[in-house]
Amino acid sequence: MKRPTIPDLAKAAGVSVSTVNRVLNQPESVRSLTRERVLSAAEEIGFYGLGTIQHAVRTGRETHKLGILLHQKARTFYRNLGEAMMAEVKRRTDETVTLSLEYLDDLSPERVAERLIALGDTCEAVALVAAQHPIVADAVDRVMAKGVPVAGLIAPLSAHGNVSYIGLDGWKVGRTAAWAFGNIVREPGKIGILLGNHRYRNQELNESGFRSYFREHHSDFTLLEPQATYESAAAARELVERLLKDHPDLCGLLISGGGITGALAALREGTTRDDFVAVGYELFDATRAALIDGTLTMVISHPMDALARETISTLIKAKKAGSDAGAQRVALVFDIYTSENM
């Protein structure tokens, strides 16, 4: 079979022969998008100088070393998020992004701080999911003091420095969840609230928005004090079982945080009112099944691909802006799911 020639490559890429020659010999004189197109065509036709073109495409690319720290990989949401982050990095063909992605099983402030500082030593910008804690805040400041920007992911973080944020507007999330209860429950009653951890600021903001809606529109409901699951399915199940036992007039449950699979198991086994409403967070296999079988009424979810895209973009933007720039803040539009739009 005849080996593809430079004219063959030029024809496949839709460029001139001279452009291909410049890609091979003077790549800096050719636009990056054109270099990418020639590379794609070279891969497709099996051009013999593929290695040279790959090197040419890399010439002039910006490079970024980014770090992301997520929670346990065993949790479907974070595993899916990690995969979306890696896919986003691969899509960025106009720049070279090296991503150090870590999952933490130990979510203690000491361990989170340790891994954050380690990523700060090797990366140019870092994003992490973490609960607010003085030890974590101190680690954020130590990393930022080296000129490495830090962003809170999903949960906002505060420190002395300007900490960026990528996630949802928690206040709006809470009010949207409250709207579902106020408009679907037929007879006002008590609503249980589960949080993963009171130190996750997004969950605190969710609760604040939730309560503000009821103060404004439906003061005849009784909102019980929030209880923490500490991201444990077993703890969530026990708490929901107790709520159903202690409050026969319970008309709904807001699940804002980890452990939702345990809460769903308790709801399926327990007895609830006909107009009982349950709202949870993040769409994955367990919550999808719960929407379909009616255990959950509504799910509010991060748009996974947009979250990954904005995280990488924000870290790169923060890196380019420098340590003296203000914090980058990206509030994503959240997805809403019911049984009818699965």
Side-chain angles (χ1 to χ4, degrees), residues 35 57-65 92 94-98 124 316 319-320:
R35 295 199 302 263
V57 169
R58 287 193 292 266
T59 299
R61 273 184 179 174
E62 288 187 327
T63 61
H64 309 288
K65 295 181 180 179
R92 291 177 173 261
D94 58 339
E95 55 197 345
T96 300
V97 179
T98 302
E124 297 169 314
I316 292 173
K319 170 205 162 183
K320 290 180 177 180

Side-chain angles (χ1 to χ4, degrees), residues 36 51 83 90 127 155 199 219 255 261 320:
E36 295 284 355
E83 291 171 356
K90 290 181 181 178
R199 286 186 176 272
S219 59
I255 310 164
T261 54
K320 290 180 177 180

Side-chain angles (χ1 to χ4, degrees), residues 232-254:
S232 164
R237 180 169 185 160
E238 183 178 335
L239 288 171
V240 174
E241 289 172 346
R242 190 181 308 155
L243 282 170
L244 294 174
K245 178 182 177 181
D246 294 346
H247 304 282
D249 57 343
L250 197 72
C251 70
L253 179 68
L254 174 67

Side-chain angles (χ1 to χ4, degrees), residues 64-69 85 92 97-100 123-128 148-153 164-166 308-322 328 330:
H64 309 288
K65 295 181 180 179
L66 309 179
I68 295 178
L69 197 58
M85 295 288 187
R92 291 177 173 261
V97 179
T98 302
L99 180 60
S100 296
C123 299
E124 297 169 314
V126 180
L128 74 157
V148 178
V150 176
L153 183 60
S164 296
Y165 171 65
I166 311 104
R309 182 175 62 252
E310 293 297 340
T311 298
I312 301 302
S313 294
T314 300
L315 290 179
I316 292 173
K317 188 183 298 183
K319 170 205 162 183
K320 290 180 177 180
Q328 306 287 332
V330 179

